[in-house]
Amino acid sequence: MRRKIARHLIAITATVLLGGLVSAVLVRISPGFAIDENQLDPRLNAESLRALRASHSSEANILRFYAGYMNRAVHGDLGISHSLGQPVGRLLRDRVPVTGRLAAGGLALAWTFAFGLAAALAAVRISTCDVLAIVLSGILLCLPAAVMALLSVLWNAPASLAVALIVFPRVFTYSRNLLLNSYSLPHIVTARAKGLSKLRTLFWHVLPSCAPSLVAVGGISVNIALSAAIPVEALCGVAGVGSLAWQAAMARDLPLLVNVTVLVTLVTLLSDAGADVIGYVLSTREN
Amino acid sequence: MPRKLACLVLALVTAASLAASWLAPAGYATQFREAPNAPPSRRHLLGTDQVGRDLFSRTLYGTRISLLLAPAAALVATTLAAGIGGVAGFLGGVPERVAMSLTNLFLSLPWLFLLITIRALLPLNASPLASVLATFLMLGLLGWAASARVLCAGARALRTSELLLQARALGLHGPRLFAVHVISNLKPVLYAQFWISIPTFILSEANLGILGLGVPEPMPSWGTLLKELEGVTSLTEQPWKLAPLLVLIVVVTSFQLALSRQEVPL
């Protein structure tokens, strides 16, 4: 258990360090880096221009630039957004709760419908309904997330519904397969043959046996919901982290974009690690 | 039966898109300025877009771009996956651990965030053709990680197999052993991974295109064609605008149905 948590912590630290390095390199090589508009000021003499250039020359070395970048990031200074002219930290603080609410709403809706449908179909097994549900989730899987967002705008549907429809087919497919596998386990077949009610079979036998895998699917679904945030927020006009990333990409605002990406990666890693640890605890309890 | 039907649909759509130069009544950039937003007619089978371009022609040309370049990107991704995952699994030990850690790190990066970050780095003044190639090349270069993990597992299983033991005993080592025995035995997995990647890249390009970060105008692709949906106010009044979306759904579904039997186990 401790080893598992330690491994995740090492992975998260490595990702942050590597992500920081990649961010620093991207910012360093981006067009316009180290160009100060003050250099165009005709009132400055040659000595002042040399001093201005010298102040930027310390950033020419990528490793030194990286060390400075990480040092500032640790102290909460994530730089200034070129396109919005505001500190990146403040922009993120304002928008993280919006994306959090959108993703949480979408996930709650998706899990309620997907898991409810999968559980009902696995327990009842009406082939026509099964085929219809598979076709529906298949069609939803073939739709790009951005199309789902466009359709939700067109039909005045809430943005969280668009996120839910993007997450739904993945959760439904995995949950259905897991539940069907669990229902075919010998002890569950015996329990059903002995006349145990459907609800009791589901809650006492099926769910405990597939809970660790379902928790893992939960971790993955957070990643899917966060990825869906970009098109949904950008096209539905929601002022969250996703639309911030999109604005930054359109304006080539790399300091903002890489910080958003590192933040979302951190959240993804934390949710994956959390799901892995919870799944491990559940599976050891089940054994 | 569904697999045969899916293959037939894919063959038909590919053939139609390759014959776009003959089938399309106009070029993809040709504007009929007197008929913007026109409904379907004998002259314009799927109507026209906001600037009067024939939607049927643009759908055919867009399908050609997506259907030719997505497999090319999938080829790049699968080759990279074979190089990283396959070699790591074949070597085992520290190289395998390092490669898998790198793969896991790569997989933990949110796909769409990563794509728009790298896309934002591409130069603004590139020609449309260069931008198209760069977009799909980027998809190929970034989409190797999931396949690498599968190929690493396959190569690891082969490493300790009788087959490789006998090959080693006969004096085959290093790159030759990898090329002759490992890669040839991984062919079914490579093929399945290649096939899986195509719809993923098609959907990713569509997402990027709708967000304005994919194939640039006037070149059509499924992404740029679906972006037109932004200007639609009512689908009941202009249902023909959904034609590119229907083609996309049919093609992606066909890829998924055609795949189900392709995944030959190792």
Side-chain angles (χ1 to χ4, degrees):
Chain A
M1 176 73 171
R2 274 185 198 159
R3 189 181 283 182
K4 210 168 193 46
I5 294 173
R7 217 168 48 212
H8 280 301
L9 284 176
I10 291 169
I12 290 169
T13 314
T15 308
V16 170
L17 289 174
L18 198 71
L21 179 63
V22 172
S23 308
V25 170
L26 286 177
V27 173
R28 173 67 188 78
I29 63 172
S30 64
F33 176 82
I35 292 174
D36 192 334
E37 61 185 22
N38 288 329
Q39 288 177 21
L40 301 171
D41 192 339
R43 293 168 300 174
L44 296 180
N45 62 15
E47 201 177 329
S48 302
L49 284 174
R50 263 199 304 277
L52 257 179
R53 285 188 199 116
S55 68
H56 288 299
S57 67
S58 62
E59 295 175 332
N61 182 320
I62 284 186
L63 285 178
R64 199 183 294 171
F65 175 70
Y66 172 55
Y69 177 87
M70 286 307 281
N71 185 34
R72 285 193 297 274
V74 167
H75 291 93
D77 176 12
L78 297 171
I80 303 284
S81 157
H82 294 160
S83 58
L84 300 171
Q86 288 183 50
V88 174
R90 193 200 301 164
L91 285 168
L92 290 178
R93 266 197 303 278
D94 291 346
R95 292 179 184 236
V96 164
V98 179
T99 303
R101 277 195 295 274
L102 177 74
L107 282 170
L109 267 175
W111 270 91
T112 308
F113 286 115
F115 188 72
L117 189 62
L121 288 174
V124 181
R125 299 205 185 177
I126 303 171
S127 58
T128 321
C129 296
D130 207 30
V131 169
L132 280 176
I134 291 168
V135 169
L136 172 74
S137 77
I139 290 173
L140 289 175
L141 263 181
C142 296
L143 286 174
V147 167
M148 216 77 90
L150 280 177
L151 293 178
S152 80
V153 172
L154 210 60
W155 290 323
N156 285 325
S160 54
L161 184 65
V163 174
L165 288 174
I166 294 161
V167 178
F168 169 85
R170 278 89 175 174
V171 174
F172 171 74
T173 312
Y174 283 122
S175 314
R176 182 180 162 275
N177 292 343
L178 284 172
L179 289 168
L180 285 177
N181 277 344
S182 295
Y183 270 107
S184 62
L185 290 172
H187 72 282
I188 294 173
V189 173
T190 313
R192 292 182 84 185
K194 283 189 172 177
L196 202 69
S197 74
K198 279 178 178 144
L199 275 180
R200 267 196 162 182
T201 314
L202 177 69
F203 286 109
W204 283 26
H205 295 289
V206 176
L207 280 185
S209 70
C210 64
S213 309
L214 279 175
V215 172
V217 178
I220 295 167
S221 64
V222 174
N223 191 355
I224 299 168
L226 286 176
S227 277
I230 298 182
V232 171
E233 287 181 359
L235 298 166
C236 297
V238 179
V241 173
S243 66
L244 190 65
W246 178 67
Q247 283 173 338
M250 294 301 277
R252 305 298 204 261
D253 188 347
L254 278 164
L256 178 56
L257 194 51
V258 289
N259 280 308
V260 171
T261 307
V262 170
L263 173 79
V264 176
T265 308
L266 251 180
V267 175
T268 310
L269 280 172
L270 283 172
S271 74
D272 281 349
D276 194 33
V277 171
I278 295 169
Y280 178 75
V281 171
L282 287 174
S283 63
T284 45
R285 225 181 252 180
E286 175 72 5
N287 290 336
Chain B
M1 182 63 184
R3 197 188 150 226
K4 278 185 186 165
L5 189 67
C7 290
L8 183 70
V9 168
L10 281 178
L12 281 175
V13 174
T14 310
S17 67
L18 288 176
S21 317
W22 296 287
L23 291 176
Y28 61 79
T30 309
Q31 279 180 259
F32 298 90
R33 280 194 296 276
E34 71 287 358
N37 272 327
S41 61
R42 200 174 289 174
R43 193 174 176 207
H44 306 293
L45 288 176
L46 291 173
T48 58
D49 65 8
Q50 286 170 335
V51 288
R53 292 174 299 189
D54 184 69
L55 200 54
F56 177 66
S57 308
R58 285 183 65 74
T59 306
L60 279 179
Y61 280 106
T63 304
R64 177 155 81 180
I65 288 176
S66 296
L67 274 186
L68 285 181
L69 292 179
L75 189 68
V76 172
T78 315
T79 309
L80 271 175
I84 296 169
V87 170
F90 172 65
L91 293 175
V94 177
E96 186 185 350
R97 277 201 295 276
V98 171
M100 282 305 99
S101 301
L102 182 72
T103 307
N104 289 339
L105 277 178
F106 222 84
L107 283 174
S108 64
L109 295 170
W111 176 235
L112 210 49
F113 278 87
L114 185 67
L115 280 183
I116 67 165
T117 306
I118 303 298
R119 184 67 181 84
L121 271 177
L122 298 178
L124 287 168
N125 54 355
S127 68
L129 183 65
S131 289
V132 172
L133 294 175
T135 303
F136 281 96
L137 185 65
M138 174 188 76
L139 288 172
L141 290 176
L142 297 176
W144 56 271
S147 304
R149 193 188 262 182
V150 179
L151 285 160
C152 181
R156 193 189 305 128
L158 275 174
R159 192 175 68 217
T160 48
S161 66
E162 283 272 298
L163 171 88
L164 255 68
L165 197 69
Q166 286 179 6
R168 278 198 189 99
L170 287 169
L172 220 60
H173 288 287
R176 188 130 189 259
L177 181 66
F178 180 73
V180 174
H181 290 290
V182 179
I183 287 293
S184 57
N185 278 288
L186 281 176
K187 261 183 196 164
V189 188
L190 282 168
Y191 186 67
Q193 291 306 312
F194 167 74
W195 202 256
I196 288 170
S197 305
I198 298 173
T200 309
F201 292 155
I202 288 175
L203 291 176
S204 299
E205 188 282 322
N207 274 323
L208 285 177
I210 296 169
L211 290 169
L213 291 161
V215 174
E217 289 280 5
M219 272 202 153
S221 73
W222 277 326
T224 47
L225 289 168
L226 292 173
K227 196 170 163 54
E228 301 275 327
L229 285 174
E230 265 185 313
V232 176
T233 48
S234 166
L235 281 177
T236 46
E237 285 171 22
Q238 300 168 302
W240 60 87
K241 296 272 184 188
L242 285 175
L245 180 62
L246 285 179
V247 179
L248 174 72
I249 291 174
V250 167
V251 168
V252 174
T253 309
S254 301
F255 269 112
Q256 284 171 352
L257 287 174
L259 176 76
S260 52
R261 297 276 174 85
Q262 306 277 10
E263 278 184 290
V264 184
L266 194 70

